[in-house]
Amino acid sequence: EVQLQASGGGLVQAGGSLRLSCVTSGYPFDNYAMGWFRQAPGKEREGVSCISMSDGSTQYTDSVKGRFTISSDNAKNMIYLQMNSLKPEDTANYYCVRYSLPLMELVRCPRDYEFRGQGTLVTVSS
């Protein structure tokens, strides 16, 4: 059974930082690309970032470029999202996803994923 569990969210002031973690199990970690999505109340989900386990390529949505960094620890079957210079508009439920393919040379994060975790809430106060 594929399982994804995000953690690390919380309340932070604007300009602050948080590091989200996602632990995975139930499948060969190296074989699939992964990513982070977020959904704010009343808004559609948004792909934030993604990473290929095959070639290490990464992509980010424009609004977080230069502020967020996605990474992976293949030995621990985990991915991370380091979020710096947080803004109130970053407030959302963040969840990690697993795509259905390894993906390589990422040029954008696919909208459709195969599995997702429950998420962790990030609240940025102004």
Side-chain angles (χ1 to χ4, degrees):
E1 179 187 5
V2 174
Q3 292 189 336
L4 309 172
Q5 181 61 54
S7 62
L11 174 63
V12 64
Q13 288 188 332
S17 298
L18 284 173
R19 187 193 192 208
L20 306 184
S21 301
C22 174
V23 61
T24 75
S25 63
Y27 70 95
F29 183 77
D30 293 352
N31 288 9
Y32 300 90
M34 293 194 66
W36 289 94
F37 277 67
R38 65 186 179 185
Q39 187 164 20
K43 295 187 176 181
E44 292 188 357
R45 69 180 188 185
E46 176 187 28
V48 176
S49 182
C50 54
I51 183 169
S52 166
M53 302 308 164
S54 298
D55 63 9
S57 58
T58 59
Q59 284 294 329
Y60 301 88
T61 191
D62 287 345
S63 63
V64 308
K65 284 181 180 178
R67 300 189 297 124
F68 290 11
T69 302
I70 191 171
S71 62
S72 69
D73 185 333
N74 292 33
K76 296 182 178 180
N77 293 349
M78 295 184 68
I79 65 167
Y80 306 94
L81 187 68
Q82 177 66 43
M83 305 186 297
N84 300 328
S85 303
L86 283 161
K87 304 176 181 180
E89 51 264 43
D90 294 319
T91 294
N93 183 49
Y94 286 71
Y95 55 96
C96 50
V97 305
R98 197 206 81 176
Y99 293 103
S100 60
L101 296 171
L103 304 177
M104 295 179 66
E105 299 180 347
L106 289 166
V107 294
R108 64 175 180 82
C109 295
R111 176 173 176 79
D112 296 321
Y113 49 80
E114 189 171 17
F115 296 97
R116 59 158 289 181
Q118 286 189 323
T120 184
L121 182 61
V122 172
T123 304
V124 184
S125 62
S126 58

